[in-house]
Amino acid sequence: MKKLVVYYSLGGNTRRVAAKIASEFRADIIELQTVKDYPDDYDVLLSLGQREVQSGYIPELKPMDIDYESYDGIFIGTPVWWGSYAPAMRTYLSSKFWGGKHVYPFVTHDGKIGRTSSELKRVFKKAILEPQLNVKFDGKTQVTPEETVDEWILQMKKNEKLGR
């Protein structure tokens, strides 16, 4: 089964988890990037992020040279922004048909995932949705034990062998 890891990471935490998953599954990997950069000022970023999530904003993404249709399994990684997935991921998810695809969601967060799980379930209702991995960070420090991530990876490999 050909695999792809698609993720968005503003601060680098989701990137770290995505790189590990891609390595473990020998998957191709692509990072979503917005056309317009986000501000460096943390307070301005927080305010902007909140407005974008609450309004359902769909930022424009830089072009990606990837044939989404050629992959059977797709890992989707996003940080949690204001109780939801990041607006850049919203852009990507709304541009694809997920029916029949094996989808492996993973999120990074600071302790609160809000409605992220239920929103992703709605997006992937026609996909073959695997259990979500939630990885907590405190700033740049991963709080979720690495063993938890490893166990999730092993379970996803086992599910794949069972034909799930």
Side-chain angles (χ1 to χ4, degrees), residues 3-23 27-34 38 61-64 66 68 73-81 85-93 96 98 103-108 120 124 133 137 140 152:
K3 302 262 189 308
L4 174 66
V5 176
V6 178
Y7 71 95
Y8 177 73
S9 186
L10 189 60
N13 293 339
T14 309
R15 181 179 301 113
R16 284 178 32 203
V17 177
K20 178 176 181 133
I21 291 169
S23 174
D28 294 334
I29 187 168
I30 190 158
E31 180 175 7
L32 303 177
Q33 296 178 336
T34 56
Y38 281 96
L61 299 177
K62 291 181 181 178
M64 296 170 283
I66 195 93
Y68 152 87
I74 302 179
F75 293 86
I76 297 291
T78 182
V80 174
W81 283 26
Y85 49 90
M89 186 56 70
R90 181 180 319 282
T91 302
Y92 182 77
L93 296 180
K96 305 289 181 238
W98 297 99
V103 176
Y104 307 80
F106 63 98
V107 301
T108 57
L120 288 173
F124 299 127
L133 171 64
F137 282 83
K140 298 281 184 200
W152 180 83

Short mmCIF file of all heavy atoms in Angstrom, two decimals, residues 3-23 27-34 38 61-64 66 68 73-81 85-93 96 98 103-108 120 124 133 137 140 152:
data_model
loop_
_atom_site.label_atom_id
_atom_site.label_comp_id
_atom_site.label_asym_id
_atom_site.label_seq_id
_atom_site.Cartn_x
_atom_site.Cartn_y
_atom_site.Cartn_z
N LYS A 3 1.90 4.99 0.68
CA LYS A 3 1.50 5.92 1.74
C LYS A 3 2.06 7.32 1.51
O LYS A 3 3.13 7.50 0.95
CB LYS A 3 2.03 5.42 3.09
CG LYS A 3 1.58 4.05 3.48
CD LYS A 3 0.44 4.14 4.43
CE LYS A 3 0.04 2.85 5.06
NZ LYS A 3 -0.21 1.75 4.20
N LEU A 4 1.29 8.29 2.02
CA LEU A 4 1.66 9.69 1.96
C LEU A 4 1.37 10.33 3.31
O LEU A 4 0.33 10.06 3.92
CB LEU A 4 0.84 10.40 0.88
CG LEU A 4 0.99 11.92 0.77
CD1 LEU A 4 2.40 12.29 0.33
CD2 LEU A 4 -0.05 12.48 -0.21
N VAL A 5 2.29 11.16 3.78
CA VAL A 5 2.08 11.96 4.99
C VAL A 5 1.90 13.39 4.53
O VAL A 5 2.78 13.96 3.88
CB VAL A 5 3.26 11.85 5.97
CG1 VAL A 5 3.04 12.78 7.17
CG2 VAL A 5 3.47 10.42 6.43
N VAL A 6 0.74 13.97 4.84
CA VAL A 6 0.45 15.37 4.54
C VAL A 6 0.26 16.06 5.88
O VAL A 6 -0.54 15.61 6.70
CB VAL A 6 -0.83 15.53 3.69
CG1 VAL A 6 -1.13 17.00 3.44
CG2 VAL A 6 -0.72 14.76 2.39
N TYR A 7 1.00 17.15 6.09
CA TYR A 7 0.88 17.82 7.38
C TYR A 7 1.04 19.32 7.23
O TYR A 7 1.57 19.82 6.24
CB TYR A 7 1.92 17.28 8.37
CG TYR A 7 3.33 17.70 8.04
CD1 TYR A 7 3.91 18.82 8.65
CD2 TYR A 7 4.09 17.02 7.09
CE1 TYR A 7 5.19 19.22 8.33
CE2 TYR A 7 5.38 17.41 6.78
CZ TYR A 7 5.92 18.51 7.40
OH TYR A 7 7.19 18.93 7.07
N TYR A 8 0.57 20.03 8.26
CA TYR A 8 0.80 21.46 8.37
C TYR A 8 1.46 21.66 9.73
O TYR A 8 1.03 21.08 10.73
CB TYR A 8 -0.50 22.26 8.29
CG TYR A 8 -0.25 23.73 8.49
CD1 TYR A 8 0.36 24.48 7.48
CD2 TYR A 8 -0.55 24.35 9.69
CE1 TYR A 8 0.63 25.82 7.67
CE2 TYR A 8 -0.28 25.70 9.88
CZ TYR A 8 0.32 26.42 8.87
OH TYR A 8 0.59 27.75 9.06
N SER A 9 2.50 22.49 9.77
CA SER A 9 3.20 22.75 11.02
C SER A 9 3.74 24.16 11.01
O SER A 9 4.60 24.49 10.19
CB SER A 9 4.35 21.75 11.19
OG SER A 9 4.96 21.89 12.45
N LEU A 10 3.24 24.98 11.89
CA LEU A 10 3.74 26.35 11.97
C LEU A 10 4.95 26.44 12.90
O LEU A 10 5.92 27.10 12.59
CB LEU A 10 2.62 27.29 12.45
CG LEU A 10 2.92 28.77 12.38
CD1 LEU A 10 3.22 29.21 10.96
CD2 LEU A 10 1.76 29.58 12.94
N GLY A 11 4.90 25.72 14.03
CA GLY A 11 5.98 25.80 15.00
C GLY A 11 6.98 24.66 14.97
O GLY A 11 7.98 24.70 15.67
N GLY A 12 6.70 23.62 14.20
CA GLY A 12 7.64 22.51 14.08
C GLY A 12 7.24 21.23 14.81
O GLY A 12 7.80 20.17 14.54
N ASN A 13 6.30 21.29 15.75
CA ASN A 13 5.92 20.09 16.50
C ASN A 13 5.27 19.04 15.60
O ASN A 13 5.62 17.87 15.66
CB ASN A 13 4.99 20.44 17.66
CG ASN A 13 5.68 21.27 18.72
OD1 ASN A 13 6.90 21.27 18.83
ND2 ASN A 13 4.90 21.98 19.52
N THR A 14 4.33 19.45 14.78
CA THR A 14 3.66 18.51 13.89
C THR A 14 4.65 17.97 12.86
O THR A 14 4.59 16.79 12.49
CB THR A 14 2.45 19.17 13.20
OG1 THR A 14 1.62 19.79 14.19
CG2 THR A 14 1.62 18.16 12.43
N ARG A 15 5.59 18.79 12.45
CA ARG A 15 6.63 18.37 11.51
C ARG A 15 7.44 17.21 12.09
O ARG A 15 7.76 16.25 11.39
CB ARG A 15 7.54 19.54 11.17
CG ARG A 15 8.65 19.22 10.17
CD ARG A 15 9.51 20.44 9.85
NE ARG A 15 8.71 21.54 9.29
CZ ARG A 15 8.50 22.70 9.91
NH1 ARG A 15 9.06 22.96 11.10
NH2 ARG A 15 7.77 23.64 9.34
N ARG A 16 7.80 17.30 13.37
CA ARG A 16 8.58 16.24 14.02
C ARG A 16 7.82 14.91 14.02
O ARG A 16 8.39 13.86 13.71
CB ARG A 16 8.91 16.63 15.46
CG ARG A 16 10.01 17.65 15.54
CD ARG A 16 10.35 18.11 16.94
NE ARG A 16 10.18 17.13 18.00
CZ ARG A 16 9.99 17.45 19.26
NH1 ARG A 16 9.93 18.73 19.62
NH2 ARG A 16 9.86 16.53 20.18
N VAL A 17 6.55 14.96 14.36
CA VAL A 17 5.74 13.73 14.40
C VAL A 17 5.56 13.20 12.97
O VAL A 17 5.68 11.99 12.73
CB VAL A 17 4.38 13.99 15.08
CG1 VAL A 17 3.51 12.74 15.04
CG2 VAL A 17 4.57 14.48 16.51
N ALA A 18 5.32 14.08 12.02
CA ALA A 18 5.15 13.68 10.62
C ALA A 18 6.39 12.99 10.08
O ALA A 18 6.30 11.97 9.39
CB ALA A 18 4.81 14.89 9.76
N ALA A 19 7.56 13.51 10.42
CA ALA A 19 8.81 12.92 9.94
C ALA A 19 9.01 11.51 10.49
O ALA A 19 9.45 10.61 9.77
CB ALA A 19 9.99 13.81 10.33
N LYS A 20 8.66 11.33 11.75
CA LYS A 20 8.78 9.99 12.35
C LYS A 20 7.84 9.01 11.65
O LYS A 20 8.23 7.89 11.32
CB LYS A 20 8.49 10.04 13.85
CG LYS A 20 8.55 8.66 14.47
CD LYS A 20 8.36 8.69 15.97
CE LYS A 20 8.46 7.27 16.48
NZ LYS A 20 9.31 7.13 17.63
N ILE A 21 6.59 9.41 11.44
CA ILE A 21 5.61 8.54 10.79
C ILE A 21 6.07 8.20 9.38
O ILE A 21 6.03 7.04 8.96
CB ILE A 21 4.22 9.19 10.80
CG1 ILE A 21 3.67 9.25 12.23
CG2 ILE A 21 3.25 8.45 9.88
CD1 ILE A 21 2.43 10.10 12.40
N ALA A 22 6.51 9.20 8.63
CA ALA A 22 6.97 8.97 7.26
C ALA A 22 8.13 7.97 7.24
O ALA A 22 8.18 7.08 6.38
CB ALA A 22 7.38 10.28 6.60
N SER A 23 9.04 8.10 8.17
CA SER A 23 10.18 7.20 8.25
C SER A 23 9.73 5.77 8.56
O SER A 23 10.16 4.81 7.93
CB SER A 23 11.16 7.69 9.31
OG SER A 23 12.20 6.78 9.50
N ALA A 27 6.95 6.34 3.87
CA ALA A 27 5.93 7.10 3.14
C ALA A 27 6.54 8.36 2.53
O ALA A 27 7.51 8.92 3.04
CB ALA A 27 4.79 7.50 4.08
N ASP A 28 5.93 8.81 1.44
CA ASP A 28 6.26 10.13 0.91
C ASP A 28 5.71 11.15 1.89
O ASP A 28 4.75 10.88 2.62
CB ASP A 28 5.64 10.32 -0.48
CG ASP A 28 6.24 9.38 -1.51
OD1 ASP A 28 7.40 8.95 -1.35
OD2 ASP A 28 5.54 9.06 -2.49
N ILE A 29 6.29 12.33 1.89
CA ILE A 29 5.87 13.35 2.86
C ILE A 29 5.79 14.70 2.18
O ILE A 29 6.63 15.03 1.33
CB ILE A 29 6.82 13.37 4.08
CG1 ILE A 29 6.31 14.30 5.17
CG2 ILE A 29 8.25 13.67 3.65
CD1 ILE A 29 7.05 14.15 6.50
N ILE A 30 4.77 15.47 2.55
CA ILE A 30 4.63 16.82 2.00
C ILE A 30 4.07 17.74 3.09
O ILE A 30 3.17 17.38 3.84
CB ILE A 30 3.73 16.82 0.74
CG1 ILE A 30 3.80 18.18 0.05
CG2 ILE A 30 2.31 16.45 1.06
CD1 ILE A 30 3.42 18.13 -1.39
N GLU A 31 4.67 18.91 3.18
CA GLU A 31 4.23 19.92 4.15
C GLU A 31 3.38 20.97 3.43
O GLU A 31 3.81 21.53 2.41
CB GLU A 31 5.43 20.60 4.81
CG GLU A 31 5.04 21.66 5.81
CD GLU A 31 6.21 22.25 6.57
OE1 GLU A 31 7.38 21.94 6.23
OE2 GLU A 31 5.97 23.04 7.50
N LEU A 32 2.20 21.22 3.96
CA LEU A 32 1.35 22.29 3.43
C LEU A 32 1.96 23.63 3.81
O LEU A 32 2.40 23.81 4.96
CB LEU A 32 -0.06 22.19 4.00
CG LEU A 32 -0.81 20.88 3.78
CD1 LEU A 32 -2.17 20.95 4.47
CD2 LEU A 32 -0.96 20.57 2.31
N GLN A 33 1.99 24.54 2.85
CA GLN A 33 2.51 25.88 3.11
C GLN A 33 1.54 26.90 2.56
O GLN A 33 1.08 26.77 1.42
CB GLN A 33 3.89 26.06 2.48
CG GLN A 33 4.92 25.13 3.06
CD GLN A 33 6.28 25.28 2.40
OE1 GLN A 33 6.39 25.72 1.27
NE2 GLN A 33 7.31 24.91 3.12
N THR A 34 1.23 27.89 3.37
CA THR A 34 0.33 28.95 2.92
C THR A 34 1.08 29.94 2.05
O THR A 34 2.29 30.15 2.22
CB THR A 34 -0.30 29.69 4.12
OG1 THR A 34 0.74 30.20 4.96
CG2 THR A 34 -1.21 28.76 4.92
N TYR A 38 2.45 33.71 8.11
CA TYR A 38 1.84 34.17 9.36
C TYR A 38 2.82 35.08 10.09
O TYR A 38 4.04 34.95 9.94
CB TYR A 38 1.46 32.97 10.24
CG TYR A 38 0.18 32.32 9.80
CD1 TYR A 38 0.18 31.21 8.97
CD2 TYR A 38 -1.05 32.84 10.19
CE1 TYR A 38 -1.01 30.62 8.55
CE2 TYR A 38 -2.24 32.27 9.77
CZ TYR A 38 -2.21 31.16 8.96
OH TYR A 38 -3.39 30.60 8.54
N LEU A 61 -3.00 27.85 -0.51
CA LEU A 61 -1.78 27.07 -0.30
C LEU A 61 -0.85 27.20 -1.49
O LEU A 61 -1.30 27.36 -2.62
CB LEU A 61 -2.13 25.59 -0.10
CG LEU A 61 -3.01 25.24 1.09
CD1 LEU A 61 -3.31 23.74 1.09
CD2 LEU A 61 -2.37 25.66 2.40
N LYS A 62 0.44 27.08 -1.21
CA LYS A 62 1.42 27.03 -2.30
C LYS A 62 1.19 25.73 -3.07
O LYS A 62 0.79 24.71 -2.50
CB LYS A 62 2.84 27.07 -1.73
CG LYS A 62 3.19 28.41 -1.12
CD LYS A 62 4.61 28.42 -0.59
CE LYS A 62 4.93 29.78 0.03
NZ LYS A 62 6.28 29.81 0.61
N PRO A 63 1.45 25.76 -4.37
CA PRO A 63 1.23 24.55 -5.18
C PRO A 63 2.09 23.39 -4.70
O PRO A 63 3.20 23.57 -4.21
CB PRO A 63 1.67 24.98 -6.59
CG PRO A 63 1.65 26.47 -6.58
CD PRO A 63 1.92 26.89 -5.17
N MET A 64 1.52 22.20 -4.83
CA MET A 64 2.22 20.97 -4.43
C MET A 64 2.28 20.04 -5.63
O MET A 64 1.28 19.86 -6.32
CB MET A 64 1.48 20.28 -3.29
CG MET A 64 1.44 21.09 -2.02
SD MET A 64 0.33 20.38 -0.80
CE MET A 64 -1.26 20.88 -1.44
N ILE A 66 2.21 16.70 -6.22
CA ILE A 66 1.96 15.37 -5.65
C ILE A 66 0.67 14.83 -6.24
O ILE A 66 -0.31 15.56 -6.38
CB ILE A 66 1.90 15.43 -4.11
CG1 ILE A 66 2.01 14.05 -3.48
CG2 ILE A 66 0.69 16.12 -3.60
CD1 ILE A 66 3.41 13.70 -3.13
N TYR A 68 -2.10 12.94 -5.40
CA TYR A 68 -2.88 12.43 -4.27
C TYR A 68 -3.58 11.12 -4.61
O TYR A 68 -3.65 10.21 -3.79
CB TYR A 68 -3.86 13.53 -3.86
CG TYR A 68 -5.13 13.05 -3.21
CD1 TYR A 68 -5.18 12.85 -1.84
CD2 TYR A 68 -6.28 12.81 -3.95
CE1 TYR A 68 -6.34 12.43 -1.24
CE2 TYR A 68 -7.44 12.38 -3.35
CZ TYR A 68 -7.46 12.18 -1.99
OH TYR A 68 -8.61 11.75 -1.40
N GLY A 73 -3.04 5.03 1.28
CA GLY A 73 -3.11 5.45 2.67
C GLY A 73 -2.52 6.82 2.85
O GLY A 73 -1.43 7.10 2.35
N ILE A 74 -3.26 7.69 3.56
CA ILE A 74 -2.79 9.06 3.76
C ILE A 74 -2.84 9.42 5.24
O ILE A 74 -3.89 9.32 5.87
CB ILE A 74 -3.62 10.06 2.93
CG1 ILE A 74 -3.53 9.67 1.44
CG2 ILE A 74 -3.12 11.48 3.16
CD1 ILE A 74 -4.32 10.55 0.52
N PHE A 75 -1.68 9.79 5.77
CA PHE A 75 -1.58 10.29 7.13
C PHE A 75 -1.82 11.79 7.07
O PHE A 75 -1.21 12.49 6.25
CB PHE A 75 -0.20 10.01 7.71
CG PHE A 75 0.08 8.55 7.90
CD1 PHE A 75 0.58 7.78 6.86
CD2 PHE A 75 -0.17 7.93 9.12
CE1 PHE A 75 0.84 6.43 7.03
CE2 PHE A 75 0.08 6.58 9.30
CZ PHE A 75 0.58 5.83 8.25
N ILE A 76 -2.70 12.28 7.91
CA ILE A 76 -3.04 13.69 7.94
C ILE A 76 -2.64 14.26 9.30
O ILE A 76 -3.16 13.82 10.34
CB ILE A 76 -4.56 13.90 7.72
CG1 ILE A 76 -4.99 13.39 6.34
CG2 ILE A 76 -4.95 15.36 7.94
CD1 ILE A 76 -4.47 14.19 5.17
N GLY A 77 -1.71 15.23 9.30
CA GLY A 77 -1.23 15.80 10.55
C GLY A 77 -1.49 17.29 10.65
O GLY A 77 -1.19 18.04 9.72
N THR A 78 -2.03 17.69 11.79
CA THR A 78 -2.35 19.11 11.99
C THR A 78 -2.19 19.49 13.45
O THR A 78 -2.47 18.69 14.34
CB THR A 78 -3.80 19.42 11.55
OG1 THR A 78 -4.07 20.83 11.72
CG2 THR A 78 -4.82 18.62 12.34
N PRO A 79 -1.77 20.72 13.70
CA PRO A 79 -1.84 21.23 15.06
C PRO A 79 -3.29 21.63 15.35
O PRO A 79 -4.08 21.87 14.43
CB PRO A 79 -0.94 22.47 15.03
CG PRO A 79 -0.97 22.93 13.60
CD PRO A 79 -1.15 21.69 12.77
N VAL A 80 -3.62 21.69 16.62
CA VAL A 80 -4.94 22.17 17.02
C VAL A 80 -4.85 23.69 17.19
O VAL A 80 -3.98 24.19 17.90
CB VAL A 80 -5.41 21.51 18.34
CG1 VAL A 80 -6.72 22.13 18.82
CG2 VAL A 80 -5.56 20.00 18.13
N TRP A 81 -5.74 24.37 16.51
CA TRP A 81 -5.85 25.83 16.62
C TRP A 81 -7.24 26.14 17.15
O TRP A 81 -8.23 25.82 16.50
CB TRP A 81 -5.69 26.50 15.26
CG TRP A 81 -4.30 26.59 14.73
CD1 TRP A 81 -3.23 25.80 15.00
CD2 TRP A 81 -3.84 27.56 13.78
NE1 TRP A 81 -2.14 26.20 14.29
CE2 TRP A 81 -2.49 27.29 13.52
CE3 TRP A 81 -4.45 28.61 13.10
CZ2 TRP A 81 -1.73 28.04 12.64
CZ3 TRP A 81 -3.70 29.36 12.23
CH2 TRP A 81 -2.34 29.08 12.00
N TYR A 85 -8.84 22.00 13.69
CA TYR A 85 -7.60 21.81 12.94
C TYR A 85 -7.24 23.13 12.24
O TYR A 85 -8.07 24.01 12.07
CB TYR A 85 -7.68 20.64 11.96
CG TYR A 85 -8.90 20.59 11.07
CD1 TYR A 85 -8.91 21.20 9.83
CD2 TYR A 85 -10.03 19.88 11.45
CE1 TYR A 85 -10.00 21.14 9.00
CE2 TYR A 85 -11.14 19.81 10.63
CZ TYR A 85 -11.12 20.45 9.41
OH TYR A 85 -12.22 20.39 8.59
N ALA A 86 -5.97 23.26 11.87
CA ALA A 86 -5.44 24.51 11.33
C ALA A 86 -6.14 24.88 10.01
O ALA A 86 -6.48 24.00 9.21
CB ALA A 86 -3.94 24.38 11.10
N PRO A 87 -6.34 26.18 9.77
CA PRO A 87 -6.98 26.62 8.52
C PRO A 87 -6.29 26.10 7.26
O PRO A 87 -6.97 25.77 6.28
CB PRO A 87 -6.92 28.14 8.61
CG PRO A 87 -6.98 28.40 10.09
CD PRO A 87 -6.15 27.29 10.70
N ALA A 88 -4.97 26.00 7.26
CA ALA A 88 -4.26 25.47 6.08
C ALA A 88 -4.69 24.03 5.80
O ALA A 88 -4.87 23.63 4.64
CB ALA A 88 -2.75 25.54 6.27
N MET A 89 -4.90 23.25 6.86
CA MET A 89 -5.37 21.88 6.68
C MET A 89 -6.82 21.89 6.18
O MET A 89 -7.20 21.04 5.37
CB MET A 89 -5.24 21.10 7.99
CG MET A 89 -5.58 19.62 7.84
SD MET A 89 -4.63 18.74 6.57
CE MET A 89 -3.01 18.67 7.30
N ARG A 90 -7.60 22.84 6.63
CA ARG A 90 -8.99 22.97 6.15
C ARG A 90 -8.99 23.15 4.62
O ARG A 90 -9.78 22.54 3.91
CB ARG A 90 -9.68 24.15 6.82
CG ARG A 90 -11.13 24.35 6.41
CD ARG A 90 -11.80 25.53 7.11
NE ARG A 90 -11.48 25.66 8.52
CZ ARG A 90 -12.02 24.93 9.51
NH1 ARG A 90 -12.91 24.02 9.22
NH2 ARG A 90 -11.67 25.11 10.75
N THR A 91 -8.09 23.98 4.13
CA THR A 91 -7.98 24.19 2.68
C THR A 91 -7.70 22.88 1.97
O THR A 91 -8.38 22.52 1.00
CB THR A 91 -6.86 25.20 2.36
OG1 THR A 91 -7.13 26.43 3.03
CG2 THR A 91 -6.74 25.44 0.87
N TYR A 92 -6.72 22.14 2.47
CA TYR A 92 -6.33 20.88 1.83
C TYR A 92 -7.47 19.85 1.90
O TYR A 92 -7.81 19.23 0.89
CB TYR A 92 -5.07 20.32 2.47
CG TYR A 92 -4.61 19.05 1.81
CD1 TYR A 92 -3.96 19.07 0.59
CD2 TYR A 92 -4.86 17.81 2.39
CE1 TYR A 92 -3.56 17.91 -0.04
CE2 TYR A 92 -4.46 16.64 1.78
CZ TYR A 92 -3.81 16.70 0.55
OH TYR A 92 -3.42 15.53 -0.06
N LEU A 93 -8.03 19.67 3.08
CA LEU A 93 -9.06 18.64 3.26
C LEU A 93 -10.30 18.91 2.40
O LEU A 93 -10.91 17.97 1.89
CB LEU A 93 -9.46 18.53 4.73
CG LEU A 93 -8.36 18.07 5.68
CD1 LEU A 93 -8.89 18.02 7.11
CD2 LEU A 93 -7.77 16.74 5.25
N LYS A 96 -10.23 17.69 -1.53
CA LYS A 96 -10.07 16.28 -1.92
C LYS A 96 -11.33 15.48 -1.63
O LYS A 96 -12.10 15.80 -0.74
CB LYS A 96 -8.90 15.64 -1.15
CG LYS A 96 -7.59 16.37 -1.27
CD LYS A 96 -6.99 16.21 -2.64
CE LYS A 96 -5.67 16.91 -2.76
NZ LYS A 96 -5.62 17.90 -3.79
N TRP A 98 -12.40 11.97 -0.15
CA TRP A 98 -11.76 11.00 0.74
C TRP A 98 -12.38 9.62 0.68
O TRP A 98 -11.91 8.70 1.35
CB TRP A 98 -11.78 11.55 2.18
CG TRP A 98 -10.98 12.80 2.25
CD1 TRP A 98 -11.45 14.08 2.23
CD2 TRP A 98 -9.55 12.90 2.25
NE1 TRP A 98 -10.40 14.97 2.25
CE2 TRP A 98 -9.22 14.26 2.27
CE3 TRP A 98 -8.53 11.97 2.26
CZ2 TRP A 98 -7.92 14.72 2.28
CZ3 TRP A 98 -7.22 12.41 2.27
CH2 TRP A 98 -6.92 13.78 2.29
N VAL A 103 -7.30 6.67 5.92
CA VAL A 103 -6.83 7.94 6.49
C VAL A 103 -6.40 7.69 7.93
O VAL A 103 -7.11 7.07 8.72
CB VAL A 103 -7.93 9.02 6.43
CG1 VAL A 103 -7.47 10.29 7.12
CG2 VAL A 103 -8.33 9.30 4.99
N TYR A 104 -5.21 8.20 8.24
CA TYR A 104 -4.60 8.05 9.55
C TYR A 104 -4.37 9.45 10.13
O TYR A 104 -3.34 10.06 9.86
CB TYR A 104 -3.25 7.34 9.43
CG TYR A 104 -3.29 6.02 8.69
CD1 TYR A 104 -3.30 5.99 7.29
CD2 TYR A 104 -3.27 4.82 9.38
CE1 TYR A 104 -3.30 4.78 6.61
CE2 TYR A 104 -3.27 3.60 8.69
CZ TYR A 104 -3.29 3.60 7.31
OH TYR A 104 -3.29 2.41 6.65
N PRO A 105 -5.29 9.98 10.92
CA PRO A 105 -5.11 11.34 11.44
C PRO A 105 -4.19 11.39 12.66
O PRO A 105 -4.20 10.48 13.49
CB PRO A 105 -6.53 11.76 11.81
CG PRO A 105 -7.25 10.49 12.07
CD PRO A 105 -6.61 9.43 11.25
N PHE A 106 -3.41 12.46 12.73
CA PHE A 106 -2.64 12.72 13.94
C PHE A 106 -2.64 14.22 14.20
O PHE A 106 -2.60 15.03 13.27
CB PHE A 106 -1.22 12.15 13.87
CG PHE A 106 -0.34 12.71 12.80
CD1 PHE A 106 0.59 13.71 13.08
CD2 PHE A 106 -0.40 12.24 11.50
CE1 PHE A 106 1.43 14.21 12.10
CE2 PHE A 106 0.43 12.73 10.50
CZ PHE A 106 1.34 13.72 10.80
N VAL A 107 -2.79 14.58 15.48
CA VAL A 107 -2.84 15.99 15.85
C VAL A 107 -1.85 16.26 16.97
O VAL A 107 -1.56 15.40 17.79
CB VAL A 107 -4.26 16.43 16.29
CG1 VAL A 107 -5.27 16.21 15.18
CG2 VAL A 107 -4.73 15.74 17.55
N THR A 108 -1.34 17.49 16.95
CA THR A 108 -0.48 17.97 18.03
C THR A 108 -1.24 19.08 18.74
O THR A 108 -2.00 19.83 18.11
CB THR A 108 0.87 18.47 17.49
OG1 THR A 108 0.65 19.49 16.52
CG2 THR A 108 1.66 17.33 16.86
N LEU A 120 -12.80 16.12 12.19
CA LEU A 120 -12.09 15.26 11.25
C LEU A 120 -12.94 14.05 10.87
O LEU A 120 -12.96 13.63 9.72
CB LEU A 120 -10.74 14.82 11.83
CG LEU A 120 -9.67 15.90 11.90
CD1 LEU A 120 -8.44 15.40 12.65
CD2 LEU A 120 -9.30 16.41 10.52
N PHE A 124 -13.93 12.95 7.03
CA PHE A 124 -13.52 11.64 6.52
C PHE A 124 -14.63 10.59 6.60
O PHE A 124 -14.35 9.39 6.61
CB PHE A 124 -12.28 11.15 7.29
CG PHE A 124 -11.09 12.04 7.16
CD1 PHE A 124 -10.42 12.50 8.28
CD2 PHE A 124 -10.63 12.43 5.91
CE1 PHE A 124 -9.31 13.32 8.16
CE2 PHE A 124 -9.53 13.26 5.78
CZ PHE A 124 -8.87 13.70 6.91
N LEU A 133 -4.12 9.69 16.43
CA LEU A 133 -3.03 9.87 17.37
C LEU A 133 -3.05 11.32 17.86
O LEU A 133 -3.08 12.25 17.05
CB LEU A 133 -1.68 9.58 16.68
CG LEU A 133 -0.41 9.92 17.48
CD1 LEU A 133 -0.31 9.07 18.74
CD2 LEU A 133 0.82 9.75 16.59
N PHE A 137 2.17 18.63 23.45
CA PHE A 137 3.43 19.36 23.59
C PHE A 137 3.25 20.48 24.59
O PHE A 137 2.16 21.05 24.73
CB PHE A 137 3.85 19.98 22.24
CG PHE A 137 4.46 19.01 21.28
CD1 PHE A 137 3.66 18.21 20.47
CD2 PHE A 137 5.84 18.90 21.17
CE1 PHE A 137 4.23 17.32 19.58
CE2 PHE A 137 6.42 18.00 20.28
CZ PHE A 137 5.61 17.21 19.47
N LYS A 140 7.91 23.49 22.87
CA LYS A 140 8.60 22.59 21.93
C LYS A 140 8.88 21.21 22.54
O LYS A 140 9.44 20.35 21.88
CB LYS A 140 9.93 23.21 21.49
CG LYS A 140 9.78 24.52 20.75
CD LYS A 140 9.39 24.23 19.34
CE LYS A 140 9.34 25.53 18.55
NZ LYS A 140 8.55 25.38 17.35
N TRP A 152 1.06 3.51 18.68
CA TRP A 152 0.09 3.86 17.64
C TRP A 152 0.61 3.41 16.28
O TRP A 152 -0.13 2.84 15.48
CB TRP A 152 -0.18 5.37 17.65
CG TRP A 152 -1.16 5.84 16.62
CD1 TRP A 152 -2.53 5.82 16.73
CD2 TRP A 152 -0.87 6.40 15.34
NE1 TRP A 152 -3.09 6.34 15.58
CE2 TRP A 152 -2.09 6.70 14.71
CE3 TRP A 152 0.32 6.68 14.66
CZ2 TRP A 152 -2.17 7.28 13.45
CZ3 TRP A 152 0.24 7.24 13.39
CH2 TRP A 152 -0.99 7.54 12.80
#
